[in-house]
Amino acid sequence: MRFNLPVLISLGASLLVSTAVQAKGHPEAEKQVLDLSKQTIALRSVRGPGNMTPQVAEVLKAALLKAGWDAKDIEIVPLDDTAYLIATWKGSDPALGPVVLSAHMDVVEAKPADWERDPFTPIVENGYLFGRGSSDTKFEAALALSSVIELRRQGFKPKRSIVIAYSGDEETTMDTSKVIAQRLKNADIVLNVDGSSGTLAETGKPLYWSWQGGEKTYVDYKVDVTNPGGHSSAPRPENAIVQLSEAMAKIGAYQFKPEVNDITREYWTQAARIEPDAKLAAAMKAFVANPQDDAALAVLRANPATVGKVSTTCVPTMIAGGHAQNALPQSATANINCRIFPGHTRAEIMAELEKVAAMPPAKFSDVTGDDSVEAPASPMRADFVAAARKAVTAAWGPVPIIPTQASGASDSMWYRALGVPSYGASASMSKDSDDFSHGLNERIALLNIAPGVTYYLSLLKDLTAK
Ligand SMILES: [Zn+2]
């Protein structure tokens, strides 16, 4: 994940859900998950000098070759200081679009001096695997890949091809992500296994599992006001700082129109059923019944876990201006960061902000760059929803399943922008207290290994069968 997903909802540990189903076990695959996780965590795949992402790809390639993949079906393609991996297991019907497993091999920088344990030395301790990338997302990449190998070991013959497509710069520029999506735009479905999909109670009990079917578009707009300046002893009505401040105050107070799509409608409906805070649960229900319900909106907008799911949001995040204590400012500049609800263009939202600001001297420009793209939400595909439910139930027991829309941005946006349905759907579950992705002492609970293999075997068998 490049940007943190907000915590779905905070759930009390009082919720009673049956404990994880004991998997029958796939000892070879389970051993391989841990081996590959450790080998890849030990490689410092961080953007910049010494980037070892290509070596991560080599480790994964070696595992596939050993498991029977043909060398010509595994590509490691270098790009700048990184590389991406595309490995294909051909299905029996070449006319069908492939099922793509998407993850990334790069990690966010980690300064060893700040960590209790060396970030690039994998350490197993108290039921956890520690190290940079353990939760985001080398463990899950190893889990998905080892499960595909297990599927092959079992003699399974997929009808659709299974393509393992791991990017090499998801945490930074996403250049490989863009190339991969372009190359695999014929895919039937993309399963993005980045990050944890499920939530465990602090007791370790599975609480719910969620899949991500859409994400908001990340955008930055720059707002500039320029004036001729002059001596501060002779003020004029036009003052760049005052004009910019007035515009920012209006934008700060502005609320975009509340919206619901198929994904968020289902999210509010399911989340309301398990949300322990009665007031919040009632607001979720009222909002889905009437998105213009002001009382419900006030509750949802006051909660950091739900505010981003109601509408587009824009917020001033940086400001600079003036050049001397005794001069009229010649310029003032602000940055506005937006997360756009799927279905709107960046230009459309910028025009709306200009209208809200109603300050002609304030010049707006989109400075996002090309590492973000407008992408529609993926449809609620019945075959995916059914296969995911079956796989999660086999792995974790009958837990609630909740679709969600993230605030952006993951590799899925590049596929969705090309019209390929993409679903954030990893096997793993974690406690809120274990969420250290991008942070210090990142870790993943080893109890995820056995159910994880069960999950991927079930999901991939179902999605490649027809
Ligand atoms: Zn990630």
Side-chain angles (χ1 to χ4, degrees), residues 1-2 104 106 135-137 170-171 192 194-195 410 437-438:
M1 279 174 285
R2 180 144 176 251
H104 60 89
D106 58 313
S135 76
D136 186 12
T137 205
E170 192 265 359
E171 301 288 5
N192 185 347
D194 186 3
S410 75
S437 58
H438 296 201

Side-chain angles (χ1 to χ4, degrees), residues 93-100 159-161 186-189 463 466:
D93 187 345
L96 299 175
V99 171
V100 173
K159 214 167 163 191
R160 288 180 189 279
S161 298
N186 68 328
D188 175 59
I189 192 167
L463 291 175
K466 54 181 190 249

Side-chain angles (χ1 to χ4, degrees), residues 96-153:
L96 299 175
V99 171
V100 173
L101 279 169
S102 163
H104 60 89
M105 301 178 288
D106 58 313
V107 294
V108 172
E109 175 67 298
K111 297 258 179 285
D114 300 337
W115 283 49
E116 283 168 30
R117 304 162 189 82
D118 181 68
F120 300 105
T121 303
I123 295 170
V124 171
E125 212 177 280
N126 301 325
Y128 288 96
L129 171 62
F130 286 85
R132 173 57 92 222
S134 53
S135 76
D136 186 12
T137 205
K138 286 175 170 170
F139 169 83
E140 196 73 28
L143 180 56
L145 184 130
S146 303
S147 302
V148 177
I149 290 175
E150 174 67 20
L151 211 50
R152 193 157 181 156
R153 191 182 289 129

Side-chain angles (χ1 to χ4, degrees), residues 232 322-328:
S232 61
H323 55 284
Q325 285 175 323
N326 59 356
L328 296 174

Side-chain angles (χ1 to χ4, degrees), residues 5 8 25 102 149 154 190 192 247 288 295 325 375 383 399 414 423:
L5 294 178
L8 185 66
S102 163
I149 290 175
Q154 290 180 358
V190 176
N192 185 347
V288 85
Q325 285 175 323
D383 61 339
V399 294
W414 302 107
Y423 301 96

